[in-house]
Amino acid sequence: MPAIVLDSDKIKDSVRRIMEYGGTGVLKCVQCGACSAVCPGVKAGFPILCRMLIKKILDGQFEELVEETSTWGCQACNRCTEVCPQGVRPQEVVFAYRRYQASELAFSSSATTSQMNLYGTGHAVFTEAGPLREKVGLPAKAPTSAYDEKAQKEIQALLDDSPMGELGLF
């Protein structure tokens, strides 16, 4: 396998762009892997999520990943952010990269379903877990946008005004 040649200008550009798209903690990452250890997407086999996405961004491979579809495998569960000892907020980095992909109109056709789910419920992937929640003593309806009409309308307005909205998917 050929060695990766790091280009400091490309690295600076990658970091700058990911920060502009909302991944402001990207430089805090020490590549410990805590995020990947709890990520359902990584466990499901999506290769470029959490730590690996951040590594590639920090190596200056930002544009080379534009067609990478596994970045759309993030379940938005936020487990990565909960366990990150450095405060990177990996989910925000993943979403920042998705914003870049959307701005380049480079998203997976398989991501269309998750985008439609996001528009409808506020979650890219949503499973009705009411009976399971009740079984462990929680209210059937989780305090999320899936059950909050005002939050759904706000998410829809944001998506309508985004590059994704310009595609006419919603």
Side-chain angles (χ1 to χ4, degrees), residues 16 39 56 82 91-93 105 124 142 165 170:
R16 177 188 58 78
C39 177
K56 291 192 179 289
E82 291 175 327
Q91 180 182 320
E92 290 180 6
V93 175
L105 304 180
F170 311 116

Side-chain angles (χ1 to χ4, degrees), residues 75-131:
Q75 304 292 300
C77 68
N78 213 25
R79 290 178 190 151
C80 56
T81 296
E82 291 175 327
V83 301
C84 179
Q86 300 298 316
V88 173
R89 304 190 61 82
Q91 180 182 320
E92 290 180 6
V93 175
V94 172
F95 277 47
Y97 194 77
R98 283 182 179 177
R99 288 182 195 102
Y100 164 70
Q101 287 178 301
S103 74
E104 296 294 315
L105 304 180
F107 61 97
S108 165
S109 59
S110 64
T112 304
T113 300
S114 62
Q115 295 302 308
M116 296 306 292
N117 288 343
L118 182 62
Y119 193 82
T121 67
H123 297 270
V125 176
F126 180 74
T127 303
E128 182 56 61

Side-chain angles (χ1 to χ4, degrees), residues 32-109:
C32 70
C35 56
S36 293
V38 299
C39 177
V42 170
K43 289 179 182 181
F46 292 103
I48 308 296
L49 279 176
C50 298
R51 185 185 66 81
M52 284 306 298
L53 177 63
I54 293 170
K55 179 177 181 3
K56 291 192 179 289
I57 291 166
L58 295 176
D59 285 348
Q61 296 179 319
F62 192 79
E63 291 177 346
E64 290 83 347
L65 294 172
V66 72
E67 297 294 331
E68 175 59 54
T69 60
S70 68
T71 57
W72 296 95
C74 175
Q75 304 292 300
C77 68
N78 213 25
R79 290 178 190 151
C80 56
T81 296
E82 291 175 327
V83 301
C84 179
Q86 300 298 316
V88 173
R89 304 190 61 82
Q91 180 182 320
E92 290 180 6
V93 175
V94 172
F95 277 47
Y97 194 77
R98 283 182 179 177
R99 288 182 195 102
Y100 164 70
Q101 287 178 301
S103 74
E104 296 294 315
L105 304 180
F107 61 97
S108 165
S109 59

